[in-house]
Amino acid sequence: MKKNKFINPLKIRSIYLTLCFVVPGFITMCHDNSHENLNNQISELDKKISKDLTVVDVPQKLKPVQDRYVRTKNSLNNMSDTVENCFNQNDSLIATAFNNYATRVGRGFQISEFLSSHDIATFQKYIAALDSGDFIMGAARNRILQNRGSLHDLSYFFEMFDFDSINQKLENRLAWNFYRDTTNTTDSTEISVLNFENDSLNNLLMRESNLLNLAWRQNIIRRSVNNDTLNCVDSTMHFDNAQIAPSVNFTIPEFDSVRSQYLHNDSIIRSYQNTMDTMTRAEDSLHKYIQSVRQQRDSLIKKRYEITL
């Protein structure tokens, strides 16, 4: 007996209607699930990005780096007060040593030997009204007011004077003089300096200044071309082939008297800087990882946007 191949149109219509309702619903459900999964992934990545580097979950290979970062950061926090005290104490030690040295050198360049009593009184009148707030200049100011000042002591205040006003009252007037810049090896330029009209006084001032400059040694430290910084107080200057760092000349008695304490403090400062360098390298590695997480998050956000179109 043959089977009846006739299909009931009502049944076909029922199947069609079922597909029309079920398939879109299934697609919507899948779409919603995909959207929710993306939301969850993005939320997890956002949490990771917002966490502190000391506690953020990192891959196993970065665990030692994170441990080193935490350890050095804690060490820096513990050392910060001590290092600040070392900086301040060294500044005080050097300022005091330099002032004592300047006082000794200045005895051979007393303004009382080279300027008239009229000019000294004029300078004293103007300087008495000035207060720089700087220790070295303050000490020079006191020596001048006590009639123990040197030419170099006086030179600290030249540019603080009302030039035209004071020149009208001086026998040995001040003047802007031009000198070749001997520190510039690449370009021959002139620098303007406010000192005396009298060349003999300027020569004496230069001699005293040169003696005082012996307090500092210029150490040229050769380096390869990289971004390393010199372990010194000012580590912001970079040079391609060399870096010049001023250092204390401990062969001078006044500086030798503070040498032991200065070098002790300096060793603590250098240790702190080395720890800082270690922490910075670890921090950079962790930041690179967080940046990769951020890029992953941004990619998922873009994908979420595309499926909503």
Side-chain angles (χ1 to χ4, degrees), residues 75-139:
S75 177
L76 290 173
N77 289 335
N78 293 334
M79 292 174 65
S80 60
D81 288 342
T82 300
V83 170
E84 184 177 1
N85 289 335
C86 288
F87 268 119
N88 292 336
Q89 187 176 29
N90 274 4
D91 285 345
S92 178
L93 289 171
I94 295 305
T96 301
F98 181 80
N99 184 61
N100 292 338
Y101 176 53
T103 300
R104 175 165 65 88
V105 170
R107 294 190 188 114
F109 299 90
Q110 293 288 290
I111 55 176
S112 58
E113 296 291 328
F114 308 109
L115 297 179
S116 67
S117 57
H118 173 271
D119 279 0
I120 293 175
T122 300
F123 281 124
Q124 288 175 330
K125 178 182 177 181
Y126 277 81
I127 289 174
L130 299 176
D131 185 7
S132 68
D134 178 80
F135 172 76
I136 297 297
M137 289 182 66

Side-chain angles (χ1 to χ4, degrees), residues 41-293:
Q41 292 179 58
I42 292 169
S43 177
E44 288 301 314
L45 293 177
D46 276 334
K47 290 178 183 178
K48 179 173 288 191
I49 292 170
S50 65
K51 285 186 177 180
D52 189 272
L53 293 178
T54 59
V55 296
V56 65
D57 187 26
V58 297
Q60 189 61 39
K61 66 178 182 180
L62 282 179
K63 290 290 186 183
V65 176
Q66 187 179 47
D67 291 342
R68 185 161 60 251
Y69 174 72
V70 172
R71 185 172 62 253
T72 53
K73 186 175 183 180
N74 290 338
S75 177
L76 290 173
N77 289 335
N78 293 334
M79 292 174 65
S80 60
D81 288 342
T82 300
V83 170
E84 184 177 1
N85 289 335
C86 288
F87 268 119
N88 292 336
Q89 187 176 29
N90 274 4
D91 285 345
S92 178
L93 289 171
I94 295 305
T96 301
F98 181 80
N99 184 61
N100 292 338
Y101 176 53
T103 300
R104 175 165 65 88
V105 170
R107 294 190 188 114
F109 299 90
Q110 293 288 290
I111 55 176
S112 58
E113 296 291 328
F114 308 109
L115 297 179
S116 67
S117 57
H118 173 271
D119 279 0
I120 293 175
T122 300
F123 281 124
Q124 288 175 330
K125 178 182 177 181
Y126 277 81
I127 289 174
L130 299 176
D131 185 7
S132 68
D134 178 80
F135 172 76
I136 297 297
M137 289 182 66
R141 175 179 179 272
N142 289 336
R143 284 193 291 270
I144 293 170
L145 296 180
Q146 295 168 10
N147 294 313
R148 297 186 295 108
S150 70
L151 293 172
H152 191 272
D153 288 338
L154 190 61
S155 70
Y156 282 122
F157 302 94
F158 282 165
E159 294 189 29
M160 301 176 70
F161 297 142
D162 183 330
F163 179 80
D164 292 327
S165 174
I166 197 171
N167 255 2
Q168 293 177 4
K169 303 173 183 177
L170 291 174
E171 296 172 359
N172 282 291
R173 294 189 173 189
L174 302 178
W176 285 101
N177 294 294
F178 296 86
Y179 302 92
R180 192 163 303 282
D181 184 3
T182 57
T183 63
N184 193 333
T185 58
T186 59
D187 187 20
S188 179
T189 59
E190 287 187 329
I191 55 175
S192 59
V193 177
L194 180 58
N195 47 26
F196 297 100
E197 279 187 350
N198 188 320
D199 286 338
S200 62
L201 288 176
N202 289 334
N203 290 335
L204 287 166
L205 174 58
M206 184 65 69
R207 282 174 54 194
E208 184 182 7
S209 298
N210 288 339
L211 286 172
L212 294 178
N213 286 337
L214 294 177
W216 319 110
R217 288 172 170 167
Q218 297 296 322
N219 292 337
I220 299 178
I221 300 179
R222 295 291 172 186
R223 285 188 170 276
S224 59
V225 181
N226 53 34
N227 291 325
D228 288 345
T229 56
L230 187 66
N231 281 331
C232 64
V233 174
D234 182 7
S235 60
T236 61
M237 298 171 59
H238 298 271
F239 295 81
D240 288 339
N241 297 315
Q243 191 158 43
I244 301 175
S247 63
V248 180
N249 186 352
F250 289 114
T251 63
I252 294 174
E254 288 82 0
F255 289 93
D256 185 56
S257 67
V258 302
R259 175 181 185 136
S260 178
Q261 186 60 51
Y262 180 91
L263 293 181
H264 172 73
N265 292 342
D266 190 59
S267 68
I268 295 174
I269 294 169
R270 289 175 181 272
S271 175
Y272 181 87
Q273 290 171 328
N274 290 335
T275 304
M276 176 71 78
D277 290 342
T278 300
M279 188 205 72
T280 300
R281 287 192 294 269
E283 186 177 38
D284 288 344
S285 297
L286 294 174
H287 275 307
K288 286 180 182 178
Y289 169 69
I290 294 299
Q291 182 60 28
S292 70
V293 174

Side-chain angles (χ1 to χ4, degrees), residues 3-51:
K3 294 182 179 179
N4 188 354
K5 294 183 179 180
F6 176 75
I7 300 176
N8 190 335
L10 293 175
K11 186 175 182 180
I12 294 175
R13 184 181 178 188
S14 177
I15 294 172
Y16 178 76
L17 288 174
T18 300
L19 290 174
C20 286
F21 285 102
V22 172
V23 172
F26 179 74
I27 293 174
T28 300
M29 182 180 68
C30 291
H31 180 277
D32 290 342
N33 286 338
S34 177
H35 196 274
E36 184 179 354
N37 287 336
L38 285 173
N39 282 339
N40 291 336
Q41 292 179 58
I42 292 169
S43 177
E44 288 301 314
L45 293 177
D46 276 334
K47 290 178 183 178
K48 179 173 288 191
I49 292 170
S50 65
K51 285 186 177 180

